[in-house]
């Protein structure tokens, strides 16, 4: 099994929308409403070049988004099923290597909701450390956000 990150293609646009709209993904995202196709298309047109597709055995299974030295990701929760946890770990490993190798970043950071303890634990496992917490409105509701980062 060779996990791969590759640049997103236009044909990936509609494939990833159901992944992003999965209830368990929305519940831990900084935007929790169901994203409509037109909203997704506009976002994709503006950010598509920053999107990478994570593949398992050649099958698209997740998304990694780099915005400068900040990153985020989500997976195809439904499609991965019981393979979700191993995929999380492989995606994080691949994304960190991509950030510090291909992109040449010196530091990599991101926002995670404080309630998302599984992803915070995953980040710690890969050498990320919490540097601050702050409140942010998530669809009008104040939530605690944890900023984690690691250096090359």
């Amino acid at each position: 099994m060779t996990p791969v990150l590759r640049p997103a293609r236009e044909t990936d646009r509609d494939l990833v929308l159901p992944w992003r709209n999965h209830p368990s993904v929305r519940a831990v995202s900084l935007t929790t409403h169901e994203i409509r196709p037109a909203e997704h298309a506009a976002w994709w047109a503006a950010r598509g070049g920053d999107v990478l597709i994570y593949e398992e055995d050649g099958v698209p299974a997740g998304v990694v988004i780099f915005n400068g030295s900040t990153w985020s990701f989500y997976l195809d929760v439904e499609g991965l099923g019981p393979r979700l946890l191993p995929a999380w770990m492989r995606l994080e490993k691949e994304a960190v290597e991509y950030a510090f190798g291909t992109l040449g970043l010196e530091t990599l950071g991101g926002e995670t909701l404080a309630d998302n303890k599984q992803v915070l634990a995953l980040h710690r496992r890969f050498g990320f450390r919490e540097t601050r917490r702050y409140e942010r409105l998530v669809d009008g509701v104040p939530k605690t956000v944890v900023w984690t980062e690691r250096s090359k």
Side-chain angles (χ1 to χ4, degrees), residues 3 6 12 14 47 50 53-54 60 65 74 82 98 119 126 129-130 134 141 143:
R6 64 161 173 81
D12 295 316
D14 295 337
R47 298 297 309 273
D50 300 326
I53 298 298
Y54 167 78
I65 303 153
Y74 53 91
Y98 188 92
V119 167
F126 281 87
R129 60 185 178 79
E130 178 181 329
Y134 47 92
V141 178
K143 299 273 188 171

Side-chain angles (χ1 to χ4, degrees), residues 69-145:
S69 61
T70 301
W71 77 301
S72 59
F73 71 92
Y74 53 91
L75 288 163
D76 176 9
V77 173
E78 198 84 16
L80 287 165
R83 299 172 299 150
L84 185 61
L85 181 58
W88 263 355
M89 294 179 70
R90 284 189 294 273
L91 179 146
E92 184 126 351
K93 176 183 178 293
E94 293 285 323
V96 167
E97 288 175 2
Y98 188 92
F100 295 129
T102 305
L103 295 179
L105 298 179
E106 293 297 317
T107 61
L108 179 63
E111 297 177 301
T112 306
L113 293 177
D115 294 343
N116 194 349
K117 300 201 183 308
Q118 291 174 310
V119 167
L120 290 170
L122 178 67
H123 289 338
R124 278 193 302 276
R125 182 179 184 128
F126 281 87
F128 287 83
R129 60 185 178 79
E130 178 181 329
T131 60
R132 66 187 184 276
R133 287 178 178 242
Y134 47 92
E135 294 295 311
R136 178 174 169 170
L137 288 180
V138 176
D139 291 334
V141 178
K143 299 273 188 171
T144 300
V145 175

Side-chain angles (χ1 to χ4, degrees), residues 4-58:
V4 171
L5 288 178
R6 64 161 173 81
R9 301 187 270 262
E10 190 59 32
T11 54
D12 295 316
R13 186 190 77 188
D14 295 337
L15 176 68
V16 305
L17 181 58
W19 304 346
R20 175 57 181 83
N21 276 334
H22 190 279
S24 65
V25 172
R26 290 192 356 244
V28 295
S29 295
L30 298 173
T31 304
T32 59
H33 70 275
E34 185 169 339
I35 296 169
R36 299 287 176 213
E39 180 184 0
H40 179 65
W43 176 86
W44 190 271
R47 298 297 309 273
D50 300 326
V51 178
L52 297 173
I53 298 298
Y54 167 78
E55 292 185 339
E56 283 213 8
D57 296 327

